[in-house]
């Protein structure tokens, strides 16, 4: 692995189903982030983690949960998907916190029907 | 006022043209500033950081005006490969980066 990876690449999901988007980085970055990107709205922060064991809410956290059990992994879970969660989801990481450069994964395209 | 505002464009320019993008931010306590580039259906990638003294990277020049809370990106001698969306990014102290919605550039031959 080089950098930051996400899985799956894309997914079509029935409303009401539970879904976990995976994110893994091998850069030993302390901070990780989840964004969603929607046409006309730009990138919006869902949740973040400044270091393993801690998480925080971003601009649009409702309907999403995260965990940070170790440095490398930062999964995003939709407990009960709704159509408004149809979006492109990007995971990102940075060495430290908000003043540092962020590196993005390739994204997951999620469609909730 | 939105936290980070950009002209969405699109900017349509011929190869070789010089083009400038502007961005304003609302939080005067912001500390870090970046320009990211995003190609269609791809992830954003860092183009360059923006420093108070201004900085240049090849054909790209970034400027910051803290008094006016204004950031700019100048691209000289545009190439076809410069076609992308350019995101202005500002930090919000203590939390995370705030992204503008992006300015779309299309360079044609």
């Amino acid at each position: 692995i080089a950098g930051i990876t996400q899985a799956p690449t894309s997914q079509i999901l029935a409303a009401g189903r539970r879904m976990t988007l995976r994110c893994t980085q091998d850069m030993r970055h302390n901070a990780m982030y989840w964004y969603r990107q929607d046409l006309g709205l730009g990138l919006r922060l869902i949740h973040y983690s400044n270091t393993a064991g801690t998480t925080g809410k971003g601009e649009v956290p409702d309907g999403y949960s995260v965990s940070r059990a170790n440095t490398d992994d930062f999964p995003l879970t939709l407990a009960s998907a709704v159509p408004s969660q149809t979006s492109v989801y990007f995971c990102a990481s940075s060495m430290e916190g908000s003043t540092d450069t962020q590196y993005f994964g390739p994204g997951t395209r999620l469609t909730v029907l | 006022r939105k936290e980070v505002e950009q002209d969405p464009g699109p900017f349509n320019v011929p190869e070789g043209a010089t083009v400038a993008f502007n961005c304003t931010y609302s939080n005067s306590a912001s500390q870090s500033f970046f320009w990211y580039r995003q190609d269609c259906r791809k992830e954003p990638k860092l183009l360059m950081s923006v420093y108070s003294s201004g900085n240049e990277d090849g054909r790209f020049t970034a400027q910051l005006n803290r008094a006016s809370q204004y950031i700019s990106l100048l691209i000289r001698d545009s190439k076809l490969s410069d076609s992308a969306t350019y995101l202005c990014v500002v930090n919000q102290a203590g939390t995370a980066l705030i992204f503008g919605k992006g300015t779309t550039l299309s360079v044609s031959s």
Side-chain angles (χ1 to χ4, degrees):
Chain A
I1 298 177
I4 185 164
T5 59
Q6 293 182 236
T9 301
S10 64
Q11 182 75 44
I12 298 173
L13 188 67
R17 296 298 294 270
R18 180 184 179 88
M19 176 75 190
T20 296
L21 307 185
R22 299 186 297 280
C23 176
T24 299
Q25 54 100 2
D26 66 353
M27 298 177 283
R28 307 305 294 172
H29 284 173
N30 287 314
M32 296 186 75
Y33 313 86
W34 274 105
Y35 295 89
R36 61 178 289 173
Q37 187 172 36
D38 303 287
L39 192 64
L41 296 176
L43 279 159
R44 293 181 292 168
L45 182 66
I46 304 171
H47 284 286
Y48 65 95
S49 169
N50 286 329
T51 189
T54 70
T55 62
K57 293 182 179 180
E59 180 185 354
V60 289
D62 294 343
Y64 305 95
S65 63
V66 291
S67 61
R68 187 86 184 279
N70 57 61
T71 298
D72 297 346
D73 301 299
F74 191 43
L76 176 74
T77 297
L78 290 67
S80 179
V82 295
S84 62
Q85 292 178 310
T86 294
S87 187
V88 180
Y89 291 86
F90 288 105
C91 180
S93 70
S94 63
M95 182 60 72
E96 298 299 337
S98 63
T99 60
D100 208 7
T101 302
Q102 291 187 13
Y103 298 87
F104 284 79
T108 293
R109 298 184 176 280
L110 181 67
T111 302
V112 183
L113 301 175
Chain B
R1 180 180 175 185
K2 295 191 174 92
E3 294 190 72
V4 179
E5 290 199 65
Q6 297 181 246
D7 181 342
F11 285 65
N12 298 305
V13 303
E15 276 185 292
T18 295
V19 61
F21 304 140
N22 303 320
C23 169
T24 57
Y25 61 95
S26 60
N27 188 341
S28 60
S30 297
Q31 299 170 293
S32 300
F33 310 89
F34 309 90
W35 282 101
Y36 276 70
R37 170 192 168 129
Q38 187 173 23
D39 294 293
C40 187
R41 300 178 72 84
K42 297 288 189 180
E43 72 273 23
K45 292 184 179 178
L46 178 69
L47 178 66
M48 58 197 303
S49 300
V50 186
Y51 303 117
S52 295
S53 56
N55 48 299
E56 187 173 309
D57 183 1
R59 297 181 293 107
F60 299 84
T61 301
Q63 296 280 351
L64 168 64
N65 185 323
R66 286 187 184 271
S68 301
Q69 295 178 206
Y70 171 96
I71 305 161
S72 66
L73 176 68
L74 182 76
I75 305 175
R76 293 181 299 277
D77 189 23
S78 298
K79 311 291 185 190
L80 293 174
S81 57
D82 293 334
S83 297
T85 296
Y86 292 83
L87 306 175
C88 176
V89 185
V90 175
N91 96 306
Q92 185 173 358
T95 56
L97 300 179
I98 304 297
F99 287 78
K101 294 180 182 178
T103 298
T104 299
L105 172 65
S106 178
V107 181
S108 57
S109 59

